[in-house]
Structure formats: structure tokens, C-alpha cells
Amino acid sequence: PYPDLHLEPPMTVLTPELEEAVARGYAERDRDNMEPTIRYFEELLAAHPGHPVLTYEVAGAYDTAGRESEACMRYEEAMRLGLHGDTLRRCMCQYGSTLRWLERYDESRDVLLRAREQFPDSDSVRVFRAGWNPPRALRRSRMALPSASRRASSVIRSRPLLSRQRNTISRN
């Protein structure tokens, strides 16, 4: 007679078929050419509109492609749609990190502080939170930096390497 309070809302659950479809998207992903992966996850989401987990997967595909602005919109949408549990934790880490890439430091800090409050025992949240504070050189206008510093900054911020690290860490 009483509802099971431990059941997830149906819209946030991935059926075995959807889990398999998401796994297929990752298996076929080419980080050097993310357009087919973006298209795949967009089509999957179109077949299941409003699904928060699939919206999160679309965001991650945009993020990996270096299309951070589009990723941010999708991360925000996924959270509004009701992500929870481990997927919410991963989303908040990735969203906070993406905001940092976009030099939206205060927003990044706020997201990661909320993640820490919601997931106090998460190692990945602690790692992302520890790294949120941008170096002073990156907070200054790029025009004010000497050209050697700008080149060094672009090497340090190499997308492919850091994107792989970010995706690996956020899964823990």
C-alpha cells in the first residue's frame, strides 16, 4: 500500500536498452571527430525527449568536442529535468569544469560548492573543487599577457589531454 521510496522516477532511469544504446555511443566515439557522436546522442534524445540522463550524455558529447557553450546549456537542462544520484554528481563536476574553461569562475565555484554539499564523500568532487580556483594569469585579460605566456597557457590548456582526464575523473 505504500510507495517504494527507493525507486527512481521512471524518466530518470535508463532501461537496459537505453544503457546499451549509450554504451554503443561511447564505443563508437572518435574524440578527434565528435560530430557523429553528437548526432547519435541528439537522435537518441529526440527519440526520448526530456530524458535527463540522455540530455546529460548530449552535453558530454558537446563538451568533448570543445563546444563548451552548447554543453553548458545541456548540462543545465539535464539538471532541471531531474538528474540525481551519481549521474547528477558527474554532471555537476563536468558542468563546473566547463564553466571554468569558459572563464566563468564564480559560477564554476558555486556549482562545485553545491556538488560538495550534495556529495560530501565524493573524491571526484573534491578533486574538481580543489582545482576550481583559476591561476591569476588566466583571470587577467589575455591581451595583457605577454605572448610567451599566452602560448604557454594554450599548451597547458590542451583540450584533448585535459578532456580525457576530466572525463576519467568525473566517473569516480
Side-chain angles (χ1 to χ4, degrees):
Y2 298 102
D4 185 348
L5 299 178
H6 299 288
L7 290 177
E8 296 179 2
M11 189 54 144
T12 63
V13 174
L14 283 180
T15 63
E17 294 81 13
L18 284 178
E19 282 183 14
E20 185 178 308
V22 169
R24 190 173 328 121
Y26 281 112
E28 296 174 8
R29 173 180 60 188
D30 175 1
R31 289 180 182 273
D32 294 326
N33 179 15
M34 286 297 294
E35 290 310 312
T37 302
I38 291 170
R39 189 170 39 257
Y40 175 83
F41 281 117
E42 286 279 15
E43 289 171 2
L44 191 58
L45 178 60
H48 304 275
H51 197 293
V53 176
L54 297 179
T55 303
Y56 161 72
E57 297 297 350
V58 169
Y62 280 117
D63 209 355
T64 301
R67 294 167 59 179
E68 289 88 357
S69 293
E70 291 160 285
C72 276
M73 290 187 304
R74 291 303 186 134
Y75 287 137
E76 292 164 2
E77 180 183 358
M79 289 185 284
R80 273 194 312 273
L81 289 169
L83 277 184
H84 65 278
D86 190 58
T87 308
L88 175 60
R89 177 194 57 80
R90 292 191 329 255
C91 182
M92 292 177 86
C93 286
Q94 289 173 232
Y95 178 51
S97 177
T98 300
L99 288 168
R100 184 172 188 257
W101 275 102
L102 293 171
E103 298 182 3
R104 293 166 54 185
Y105 301 120
D106 291 339
E107 292 171 77
S108 173
R109 181 197 61 230
D110 293 346
V111 167
L112 295 172
L113 284 172
R114 283 195 323 269
R116 187 177 69 182
E117 290 170 5
Q118 288 186 263
F119 303 97
D121 298 327
S122 170
D123 290 337
S124 61
V125 169
R126 280 193 289 272
V127 167
F128 275 92
R129 174 65 184 98
W132 83 264
N133 196 14
R136 287 181 191 252
L138 290 178
R139 282 186 274 175
R140 286 186 243 147
S141 166
R142 293 195 186 281
M143 296 306 291
L145 292 175
S147 61
S149 294
R150 284 198 307 271
R151 282 193 303 276
S153 176
S154 68
V155 170
I156 290 168
R157 294 179 58 173
S158 172
R159 287 273 326 146
L161 174 62
L162 293 180
S163 179
R164 281 193 295 276
Q165 290 172 343
R166 179 174 56 195
N167 289 338
T168 300
I169 291 171
S170 69
R171 297 233 181 253
N172 296 323

